[in-house]
Amino acid sequence: MTPDTDPHRLNLAALGWSPFFAAQIAPEDAHLQPVRISNVHRARMSAQSPAETLRLMLPHHISTADYAVGDWVLIEPETTLLVRRLERNSLLQRRTEGGRVPQLIAANVDTLFIATSCNEDLNPARLERYLAMANEAGTHPVIVLTKADKVEDPAFWRDQVTGLQRGLEVVTLDATSESARAVLAPWCGAGQTVALVGSSGVGKSSLLNTLTGKTGEEAQLTGGIREADAKGRHTTTSRSLHAITGGGTVIDTPGIRTLHVSDLSVGLDVLFTEITELAPDCRFRDCTHAHEPGCAVQAAVKAGTLDPARLERWRKLSEENISNTPVMTGPRGNRKVKAPSGRR
């Protein structure tokens, strides 16, 4: 039997296994089994193998907070004892209010589906925060406009988000319809991993059920929204990994009420490419694009080629990123992390 026809290898590939992870397996690891983390709780973790879901035995010295759904780990097959985690090819994370370290959202994600509804829930400024997070992780973002069947003209809602990032892909769909599978199929092929993020009530659980074909007791609980403000209720309480019907895997996440911008290096540059490209033409290298003479960004605003609202949102997110990101202080060899100066 050749590697290409080995059914175990094919099933492992369907879970997202790739040469990137295979290259990390050393000869001394030959007796270990690769599995993918499917659930992370405070004191326990589960993982998915090609054949079954496994409850992992955890060494005393590890913290589950250091692991994310989507991680690949090596275990002892006989005992399911976790031995080590493989290096990630992407990691989605966020810093929570008062948190000393970032909270891990999902690992090894190829495409991030950022879900929002064709209603009052749609908030371009909030979507930009998700886009910055995806850009920083190196994950391909796609805006998914749900509840398109509830409005007369989905194009009205699409127009509000299409220009949030250069080359941004936007799709509209009914999360409860089988047609949603076809709309999202380009990113859900065998071996691909997608993750669902967005506010509560936008249809993430419905979309998960559609993608995975879950019905009855297996289906993820779904909830409605308050008609007054289109706000949803939490129905997903933990992150979890599921197989997509026809190929690929999807990571479901709870609704995020507040997404702080922090720890970004390139995420904002990609999000605001039109500003990033103009900055080198400013007279001063440390130009804040606010009041300095010879500012190419302000010149573009005056010329009408740059939306002043975009510049204002760039400034707000940039300042928030600086404020929320810890810095290293102290002499070389004894450097310490200085806590962020504050949250916004």
Side-chain angles (χ1 to χ4, degrees), residues 25 65 72 86 94 150-151 163 189 195 246 270 281 294 332:
I25 306 299
W72 281 98
L86 300 184
R94 67 172 183 137
K150 305 294 185 183
V151 298
V270 176
D281 295 330
R332 182 178 300 178

Side-chain angles (χ1 to χ4, degrees), residues 134-149:
N135 296 337
E136 190 68 23
T139 296
H140 179 70
V142 176
I143 300 292
V144 178
L145 292 174
T146 63
K147 306 184 181 181
D149 56 307

Side-chain angles (χ1 to χ4, degrees), residues 296-320:
V297 174
Q298 284 292 343
V301 171
K302 293 178 181 179
T305 58
L306 176 63
D307 183 357
R310 284 277 287 177
L311 177 59
E312 181 57 32
R313 294 204 296 270
W314 167 84
R315 181 173 291 109
K316 178 180 180 180
L317 293 183
S318 297
E319 292 175 351
E320 182 177 331

Side-chain angles (χ1 to χ4, degrees), residues 174-181 204-214 244-245:
D174 170 8
T176 63
S177 171
E178 291 297 313
S179 63
R181 291 184 189 174
K204 297 194 306 299
S205 295
S206 296
L207 188 56
L208 175 76
N209 293 334
T210 299
L211 289 175
T212 60
K214 293 180 182 293
I244 296 175
T245 301

Side-chain angles (χ1 to χ4, degrees), residues 275-299:
I275 297 175
T276 303
E277 292 179 343
L278 287 169
D281 295 330
C282 293
R283 180 182 301 176
F284 301 105
R285 181 175 299 177
D286 58 349
C287 184
T288 64
H289 315 315
H291 51 71
E292 295 88 348
C295 175
V297 174
Q298 284 292 343

